[in-house]
Amino acid sequence: MKISIFGLGYVGAVSLACLSRDGHDVIGVDIDRNKLDLIAAGKTPVVEEGMVELMQRVAASGRVTVTTDAGAAVRDSDISLVCVGTPSAANGSQDQGAILRLAREMGRALAVKTQPHVIVFRSTIVPGTVEDVLRPIIEEESGKRDGQDFHLCFQPEFLREGSSIRDYDKPPFTIVGANHEHPVDQLRALFGHLPCKLIRTSVRSAEMMKYCCNNFHALKITFANETARLCDALGVDAFEVMDLVCQDTQLNISKAYLKPGFAFGGSCLPKDLRATSYLAKSHDVEVPMLSAILKSNEEHLAVALNKVLATGKRRIGFIGLSFKSGTDDLRESPLVTLAEQLIGKGMQLSVYDPEVHMSTLLGANRRYIESHLPHIGQLLQADIGQVIAGADVLVVGLSGSDVTQALVRGCRADQTVIDLVNLGSQTGIAAQVEGLCW
Ligand SMILES: NC(=O)c1ccc[n+]([C@@H]2O[C@H](COP(=O)([O-])OP(=O)(O)OC[C@H]3O[C@@H](n4cnc5c(N)ncnc54)[C@H](O)[C@@H]3O)[C@@H](O)[C@H]2O)c1
């Protein structure tokens, strides 16, 4: 394929070297003449393992050319990979100056190009940039339509500096955010041989998932480092601890706890986080990330409270009260806190939870609910149908086919369902279903 690559920094230079190594003709484009001269001379513009030898090889192959002329590069290639920098602006926002200027230039080039062309954005860009910012610019400058005369898509880059050639050849996956089949086919032709899945998704999800990946990496590093600071103060071997933590691939290094849902609660996580923060404080160790977790959890609860209040309705039915399905443990259940807050605002509540029976609540669990919801006995209903029938708003904190079927059977069009569990397909529920934050 004939490929043009815009921006020959770490991402662009490595892509140029690897794609030409794989037999493609590549045009490298940059505004930095020095980088172009280096590449033309078979030298690498970035310090990366394996790049010195690879650049020599591909320059000698005759498959690499360089230019500062973006228009010519678009006209002389079938597909363009955009890898220009997207650094932070002074206020923390993304400085999109380079990519916006480039989009205008590419649009003008497309105006006079008669062959079909695919533009693949590979720079990390905030969600919505391709469809709401770059597409309008390119369509206006070219006078042509995305999806008809040319194709835009987004393919996040996962290489890590220091091992980028190895990462190029063995990425975790290839993600393509596209609205049409043609750009996906083109990218499959370029990257389909790699030993990983190629997954097609929406452009916005592809843009967002790149941020999630980097945020998750930063979160994990900070978690290990905060743990190490605390371990150090406590005389515990942090490497041993983190190694043990990582050996749990059922709950720790796994998909567990990584699905959006309602706030966490229960008899363990909140109290143990509080104890950890206190322990750190008493040893003069700062753990801002761990200490902020409960605050973030409260924020999630506040979102649910505001959603219920925004309906302006007063008869609220709760489906689920314990901190998770399948238990009667009410201690620090976020649903109990939500119920308490709504009662405080003068709402009328009725509650259905198949696991919660006043007669069997014992010990700390009973004391907890009696101090937080003193009239719990009067609120509890044994029949889910009755709770549904008597409510204007249903707060669903319990998942399962029984619940969904009851909602399908009992809900009316004048009701609102606030879905805290991601009920999934809402087909058949007559009420207006609102997800918590989805
Ligand atoms: N560095 C990484 O490991 C990495 C990994 C994944 C994703 N990314 C993302 O990829 C993008 C590029 O990162 P990088 O580290 O390669 O950046 P970089 O700063 O090393 O290189 C960017 C290049 O773009 C060039 N450029 C700027 N304006 C241009 C224009 N109008 N036309 C042509 N070239 C232009 C610059 O001269 C520079 O050579 C960023 O959005 C980054 O967030 C980087």
Side-chain angles (χ1 to χ4, degrees):
M1 222 181 273
K2 277 184 172 283
I3 306 163
S4 48
I5 301 187
F6 294 78
L8 300 170
Y10 286 87
V11 171
V14 170
S15 302
L16 172 140
C18 292
L19 285 164
S20 52
R21 174 203 65 188
D22 294 348
H24 302 285
D25 289 326
V26 185
I27 308 169
V29 189
D30 206 292
I31 48 172
D32 184 338
R33 196 65 250 180
N34 292 327
K35 286 192 181 180
L36 298 182
D37 291 344
L38 282 171
I39 290 171
K43 297 196 172 113
T44 175
V46 294
V47 177
E48 271 297 316
E49 189 186 297
M51 272 294 276
V52 170
E53 304 75 29
L54 190 55
M55 276 310 307
Q56 261 172 10
R57 229 174 85 198
V58 298
S61 74
R63 285 193 294 271
V64 176
T65 53
V66 292
T67 181
T68 52
D69 186 343
V74 167
R75 287 192 298 274
D76 296 342
S77 59
D78 312 307
I79 184 165
S80 298
L81 307 185
V82 175
C83 312
V84 298
T86 49
S88 282
N91 64 1
S93 66
Q94 180 167 64
D95 178 352
Q96 297 190 331
I99 207 161
L100 297 184
R101 276 193 297 280
L102 185 56
R104 272 180 215 107
E105 277 187 82
M106 293 180 110
R108 286 196 289 274
L110 288 176
V112 291
K113 181 167 178 174
T114 47
Q115 304 302 315
H117 196 81
V118 173
I119 300 178
V120 187
F121 291 102
R122 307 226 52 196
S123 303
T124 302
I125 38 182
V126 291
T129 304
V130 169
E131 290 176 335
D132 300 346
V133 182
L134 299 169
R135 178 164 60 195
I137 292 175
I138 297 172
E139 286 189 339
E140 190 187 317
E141 294 288 343
S142 65
K144 295 182 174 176
R145 311 288 306 165
D146 174 29
Q148 283 173 22
D149 314 303
F150 64 89
H151 288 93
L152 302 183
C153 64
F154 180 76
Q155 183 195 359
E157 173 59 66
F158 301 110
L159 60 77
R160 294 164 297 174
E161 287 176 26
S163 56
S164 27
I165 296 180
R166 270 178 288 139
D167 289 345
Y168 177 95
D169 288 326
K170 198 173 175 300
F173 42 27
T174 300
I175 303 287
V176 181
N179 295 320
H180 304 96
E181 209 51 55
H182 177 63
V184 184
D185 290 342
Q186 296 288 92
L187 287 173
R188 198 171 278 119
L190 285 187
F191 301 110
H193 65 285
L194 294 173
C196 64
K197 278 196 245 175
L198 189 151
I199 304 171
R200 178 179 170 181
T201 184
S202 69
V203 176
R204 277 175 147 75
S205 291
E207 290 170 323
M208 184 66 189
M209 74 79 63
K210 175 63 193 170
Y211 280 92
C212 286
C213 291
N214 279 349
N215 295 343
F216 196 37
H217 300 331
L219 180 90
K220 289 199 287 185
I221 293 167
T222 305
F223 180 81
N225 289 344
E226 288 198 357
T227 300
R229 296 206 292 274
L230 187 55
C231 283
D232 190 31
L234 299 171
V236 179
D237 182 340
F239 292 101
E240 198 169 83
V241 169
M242 284 310 296
D243 183 51
L244 290 169
V245 167
C246 292
Q247 286 191 48
D248 172 357
T249 52
Q250 232 166 285
L251 300 182
N252 291 347
I253 311 301
S254 74
K255 283 185 173 183
Y257 306 119
L258 282 172
K259 264 207 193 106
F262 192 36
F264 64 79
S267 59
C268 295
L269 305 191
K271 91 172 165 57
D272 293 349
L273 271 167
R274 275 194 292 271
T276 305
S277 291
Y278 188 86
L279 195 60
K281 212 184 317 171
S282 60
H283 284 83
D284 292 327
V285 177
E286 296 289 339
V287 285
M289 192 184 90
L290 288 172
S291 302
I293 294 176
L294 282 172
K295 188 165 177 351
S296 175
N297 202 45
E298 282 164 21
E299 188 55 40
H300 212 56
L301 216 142
V303 171
L305 177 67
N306 290 334
K307 278 233 149 166
V308 179
L309 295 179
T311 63
K313 297 176 181 168
R314 308 202 71 78
R315 293 186 307 160
I316 319 291
F318 266 55
I319 298 176
L321 189 66
S322 65
F323 86 98
K324 66 176 175 188
S325 304
T327 172
D328 70 346
D329 198 348
L330 299 167
R331 287 172 294 168
E332 302 220 34
S333 165
L335 288 164
V336 171
T337 313
L338 183 61
E340 201 181 349
Q341 289 169 342
L342 287 167
I343 290 172
K345 300 262 177 208
M347 306 294 163
Q348 267 175 48
L349 252 66
S350 64
V351 176
Y352 168 79
D353 190 317
E355 308 295 340
V356 178
H357 307 284
M358 282 317 285
S359 54
T360 53
L361 288 181
L362 298 169
N365 195 16
R366 190 176 187 103
R367 282 196 297 281
Y368 182 85
I369 196 64
E370 282 177 348
S371 72
H372 287 267
L373 290 179
H375 306 296
I376 174 78
Q378 291 154 34
L379 309 180
L380 280 174
Q381 302 273 352
D383 178 9
I384 189 171
Q386 253 179 312
V387 172
I388 294 173
D392 303 317
V393 178
L394 286 154
V395 175
V396 179
L398 196 62
S399 53
S401 56
D402 290 0
V403 171
T404 313
Q405 279 163 23
L407 291 168
V408 170
R409 270 196 316 273
C411 280
R412 305 179 304 270
D414 62 308
Q415 291 173 312
T416 305
V417 167
I418 310 281
D419 170 19
L420 306 180
V421 293
N422 192 16
L423 288 163
S425 150
Q426 293 151 16
T427 359
I429 299 178
Q432 188 192 330
V433 181
E434 284 185 27
L436 174 64
C437 46
W438 50 82

